[in-house]
């Protein structure tokens, strides 16, 4: 199969060419009529009448109907193609939208905001939302698809080359709608397999001071870290948070300084986000930032 975005691109090109031909034809007829029937050539004033010309009326009804029928059939074919066209997906990934971040589930293992998929492999996303309506959209890979609470929609993804493809929530979903970025990382099958194996393993660091700070504060109400007793589900799973490129669904690059700044005051960078400001001493903040920054 080919990437759904390619199928959409081909259809858009065909419709664009048809529309351009109609535009040129109509404008040419208009310019010709203005020239041919100008007043200096037709001094009598009254133009010819076209009432009750059955052949003309049938022609200008049938021609647009035929053009629209052709576009309709092409669109049905494209819709079937971008939905998978009978090709079974090699893999299903659960995608859940939250205000304002994305959760991607790989059979029990969860990650956030960065979706990893293998190249040249048909993937089906099972899309749903836990709160309001969001819309998954990575333009280079496929169409938009709404994510609705209580409903599961499906979206076929297929990427022909490895790389990083950015997307964005495409349905206004609240104050931080703009900071609801998606990054799809398309990898070779071997790279993807080793990424997934690493994601499935529990957190690397155990028992340090930062872990103590994490587990003894309200962090655990919303976040999970596999291998600890933190099992919150309202916020992103942090088991491998340091393996991700950004914080806050794209709002900050993920490095040591930004991690600390984010923990100090998330509302400064993402006002309205459900992550509260947690009062911590400087020493606790340092330890927590170092702990989370080591969760590769
Ligand atoms: Cu989520 Cu807009």
């Amino acid at each position: 199969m080919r990437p759904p975005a390619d199928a959409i691109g081909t259809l858009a090109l065909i419709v664009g060419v048809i529309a351009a031909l109609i535009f040129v034809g109509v404008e040419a007829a208009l310019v010709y009529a203005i020239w041919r029937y100008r007043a200096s050539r037709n001094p009598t004033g009254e133009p010819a009448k076209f009432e009750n010309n059955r052949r003309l009326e049938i022609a200008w009804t049938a021609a647009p109907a035929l053009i629209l029928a052709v576009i309709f059939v092409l669109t049905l074919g494209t819709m079937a193609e971008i939905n998978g066209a009978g090709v079974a997906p090699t893999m299903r990934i659960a995608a859940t939208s939250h205000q304002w971040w994305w959760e991607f589930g790989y059979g029990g293992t969860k990650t956030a905001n960065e979706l990893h998929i293998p190249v040249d492999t048909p993937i089906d996303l099972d899309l749903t939302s836990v709160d309001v309506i969001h819309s998954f959209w990575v333009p280079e890979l496929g169409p938009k698809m709404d994510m609705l609470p209580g409903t599961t929609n499906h979206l076929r993804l297929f990427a022909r080359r490895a790389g990083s493809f950015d997307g964005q929530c495409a349905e206004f979903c609240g104050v931080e709608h703009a900071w609801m970025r998606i990054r799809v990382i398309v990898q070779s099958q071997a790279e993807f397999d080793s990424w997934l194996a690493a994601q499935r393993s529990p957190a690397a660091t155990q028992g340090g001071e930062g872990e103590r700070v994490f587990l003894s504060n309200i962090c655990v109400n919303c976040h999970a870290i596999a291998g600890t007793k933190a099992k919150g589900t309202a916020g992103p799973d942090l088991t491998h948070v340091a393996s991700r490129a950004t914080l806050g669904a794209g709002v900050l690059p993920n490095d040591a300084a930004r991690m600390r700044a984010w923990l100090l005051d998330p509302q400064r960078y993402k006002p309205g986000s459900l992550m509260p400001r947690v009062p911590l001493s400087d020493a606790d903040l340092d330890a927590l930032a170092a702990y989370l920054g080591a969760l590769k």
Side-chain angles (χ1 to χ4, degrees):
M1 65 178 293
R2 59 178 173 158
D6 287 10
I8 296 169
T10 303
L11 179 65
L13 184 68
I14 293 169
V15 173
V17 167
I18 292 172
L21 290 174
I22 292 170
F23 176 79
V24 169
V26 169
E27 294 304 305
L30 179 67
V31 169
Y32 172 76
I34 290 170
W35 171 80
R36 175 69 181 75
Y37 299 104
R38 63 194 186 276
S40 61
R41 268 188 72 157
N42 301 273
T44 55
E46 274 297 298
K49 295 235 166 36
F50 282 96
E51 278 156 27
N52 300 319
N53 187 325
R54 183 161 299 165
R55 279 159 113 190
L56 260 184
E57 286 176 5
I58 289 173
W60 69 48
T61 305
L66 189 67
I67 293 165
L68 289 177
V70 168
I71 292 174
F72 177 66
V73 169
L74 291 174
T75 303
L76 286 183
T78 304
M79 286 169 70
E81 185 179 349
I82 66 178
N83 286 331
V87 179
T90 305
M91 187 181 184
R92 307 192 78 91
I93 299 170
T96 308
S97 53
H98 300 249
Q99 284 177 315
W100 289 274
W101 58 283
W102 311 88
E103 181 172 273
F104 300 114
Y106 298 76
T109 298
K110 288 176 182 170
T111 185
N113 303 326
E114 291 168 24
L115 172 66
H116 288 244
I117 60 170
V119 72
D120 270 329
T121 306
I123 307 284
D124 271 4
L125 293 183
D126 298 326
L127 304 163
T128 191
S129 171
V130 297
D131 37 47
V132 300
I133 300 174
H134 304 263
S135 180
F136 185 96
W137 189 35
V138 181
E140 280 183 273
L141 297 182
K144 286 177 191 169
M145 184 61 76
D146 274 0
M147 301 173 81
L148 310 167
T151 303
T152 303
N153 282 340
H154 305 284
L155 179 68
R156 171 60 55 92
L157 283 186
F158 183 85
R160 207 157 33 195
R161 64 181 171 85
S164 176
F165 301 88
D166 286 347
Q168 165 67 38
C169 179
E171 182 82 44
F172 182 72
C173 54
V175 287
E176 290 298 342
H177 160 69
W179 282 115
M180 204 164 157
R181 301 278 175 91
I182 310 160
R183 181 162 290 171
V184 180
I185 294 137
V186 181
Q187 298 170 300
S188 70
Q189 188 68 47
E191 284 172 333
F192 173 78
D193 290 343
S194 70
W195 172 83
L196 189 55
Q199 294 290 313
R200 288 201 163 129
S201 64
T205 60
Q206 301 273 327
E209 179 61 11
E211 187 179 313
R212 185 197 62 75
V213 174
F214 183 83
L215 295 176
S216 57
N217 280 283
I218 61 167
C219 318
V220 292
N221 293 355
C222 296
H223 295 285
I225 295 181
T228 74
K229 65 182 170 67
K231 306 244 183 294
T233 55
D237 187 300
L238 300 178
T239 308
H240 297 286
V241 61
S243 71
R244 305 199 278 262
T246 69
L247 297 170
V251 79
L252 283 176
N254 188 3
D255 58 30
R258 265 71 161 249
M259 175 65 90
R260 192 183 188 285
W262 170 255
L263 295 170
L264 175 66
D265 191 1
Q267 296 298 318
R268 176 177 168 195
Y269 302 100
K270 204 164 175 178
S273 143
L274 298 188
M275 169 114 167
R277 188 177 172 180
V278 182
L280 293 172
S281 69
D282 275 0
D284 280 0
L285 201 54
D286 288 341
L288 183 60
Y291 168 62
L292 294 175
L295 295 178
K296 293 280 186 197

